[in-house]
Amino acid sequence: MKKLSTIIAGAAVGMLALSACGQEGAPEPAAGGGGGGEAPEYEVAEDVDLSDSPTWEAANSAGTLTIGVKKDQPGLGNQEPGSDVPEGFDIEIAKIVAGSLGFSPDQIEWTETVSANREPFLQQGNVDMVVATYTINDERKKVVDFAGPYYVAGQDLLVAADSDIASPEDIGGKTVCSVDGSTPAQNIEEEYSDAELVTYDAYSKCVTDLQSGSVDAVTTDDAILRGYAAQYEGEFSVVGEPFTDEPYGVGLPQDDDALRDAVNDVLEASMEDGTWTEAFEYTLGDSSDVEQPEVDRY
């Protein structure tokens, strides 16, 4: 049995900055929220021994790795009606991580997590990890751990194509929609309190309200919003004025240091072997102006 660290080759460290399409961390997805092409296949490691991780031990014994993901975010984590599995960049990252931990795609159980239940699901053992546009911040680190980041996005606004909202400064007196328990919702409450905030448990409900005119804008990370803009081509536009940095991490049970180290190893290796770029281009499009962020081994 080999330790995971002997399976994963040493990797170069990336840059933290992301830039594409004229703004930080906002690559333009292809129509439909994906880069298209043939689906990547990732190597599944054999003889993995991560016995120092209670999370890995339990999953290995069960033969199933349970991963919390979003299922309503085109390009990142989305499951179409009638489909058996979700698709998107988060999903590909999860497959890369799972493969390096010894789990094949058919050994992954995809569990939907909304923004408000990601920490409880990890704390209660409902999932082994969360890969769901999960922003790393100090408040969340009090109750869960993170590997990564594997991507850095920026909060922005999705508006109707004919909207006069051109920046966050224009949302005073406007109705803005986000989701319960999310960093973007908290940012609106704290930094733009003159806007009326409406929250749901899923961004898709916000988009429905934007279509009907019930809200004036939807706010979350720009990558998510660009997925919706591509899905509803011509109806919406992304303002293009990101006003935060949102480092996406892999959420893990707290104090499982062996698992966190292993996942960080995987993310670093994915840059050296090209699998991160392959995953990005398959789901979010051209990666020529995008760099994978440096892992933060806090």
Side-chain angles (χ1 to χ4, degrees):
M1 300 284 276
K2 300 178 184 178
K3 288 288 183 181
L4 186 65
S5 58
T6 67
I7 294 172
I8 301 171
V13 176
M15 303 288 291
L16 184 60
L18 283 161
S19 61
C21 299
Q23 57 181 296
E24 292 293 311
E28 187 75 51
E38 194 168 328
E41 294 185 6
Y42 311 109
E43 183 178 353
V44 179
E46 298 181 359
D47 298 326
V48 178
D49 180 5
L50 199 61
S51 54
D52 289 343
S53 164
T55 307
W56 183 89
E57 272 283 292
N60 188 53
S61 296
T64 301
L65 187 69
T66 305
I67 304 179
V69 297
K70 295 290 182 70
K71 294 187 177 182
D72 67 338
Q73 296 176 355
L76 290 160
N78 190 53
Q79 187 163 340
E80 297 289 344
S83 175
D84 293 331
V85 295
E87 298 178 338
F89 183 57
D90 281 354
I91 308 306
E92 298 304 306
I93 292 294
K95 290 178 183 176
I96 291 170
V97 170
S100 292
L101 296 177
F103 296 89
S104 61
D106 62 1
Q107 291 179 296
I108 300 173
E109 180 179 337
W110 303 106
T111 297
E112 185 170 21
T113 51
V114 297
S115 293
N117 68 18
R118 291 174 296 195
E119 288 95 66
F121 271 29
L122 284 168
Q123 291 174 301
Q124 296 162 13
N126 295 1
V127 297
D128 299 313
M129 62 181 62
V130 172
V131 189
T133 61
Y134 201 5
T135 297
I136 302 170
N137 63 39
D138 290 340
E139 192 64 27
R140 288 170 176 164
K141 284 181 182 178
K142 294 176 181 178
V143 293
V144 300
D145 280 341
F146 288 97
Y150 60 88
Y151 185 79
V152 179
Q155 185 174 349
D156 210 324
L157 299 165
L158 183 72
V159 298
D162 60 354
S163 174
D164 58 0
I165 297 175
S167 76
E169 283 65 41
D170 296 331
I171 62 174
K174 305 288 188 180
T175 304
V176 179
C177 190
S178 194
V179 302
D180 302 318
S182 69
T183 304
Q186 181 179 341
N187 289 339
I188 295 297
E189 286 182 325
E190 294 178 354
E191 304 296 333
Y192 300 93
S193 57
D194 53 348
E196 180 182 349
L197 179 65
V198 174
T199 60
Y200 293 111
D201 61 354
Y203 288 111
S204 54
K205 296 178 181 179
C206 287
V207 173
T208 298
D209 275 9
L210 186 59
Q211 282 182 305
S212 69
S214 300
V215 301
D216 300 299
V218 178
T219 188
T220 186
D221 304 341
D222 50 9
I224 299 170
L225 298 179
R226 287 180 176 277
Y228 282 119
Q231 186 178 42
Y232 299 96
E233 188 174 2
E235 286 190 55
F236 307 128
S237 63
V238 180
V239 167
E241 294 286 339
F243 49 100
T244 65
D245 284 332
E246 305 295 336
Y248 291 170
V250 177
L252 301 168
Q254 196 169 43
D255 298 327
D256 194 333
D257 294 341
L259 182 60
R260 185 176 67 194
D261 288 344
V263 176
N264 278 328
D265 288 346
V266 174
L267 295 176
E268 288 183 343
S270 72
M271 178 171 58
E272 184 172 276
D273 63 22
T275 51
W276 186 95
T277 299
E278 190 177 9
F280 187 96
E281 293 188 342
Y282 175 63
T283 55
L284 290 174
D286 181 26
S287 68
S288 58
D289 293 323
V290 181
E291 293 180 345
Q292 183 177 354
E294 180 181 350
V295 164
D296 177 16
R297 294 178 179 269
Y298 65 90

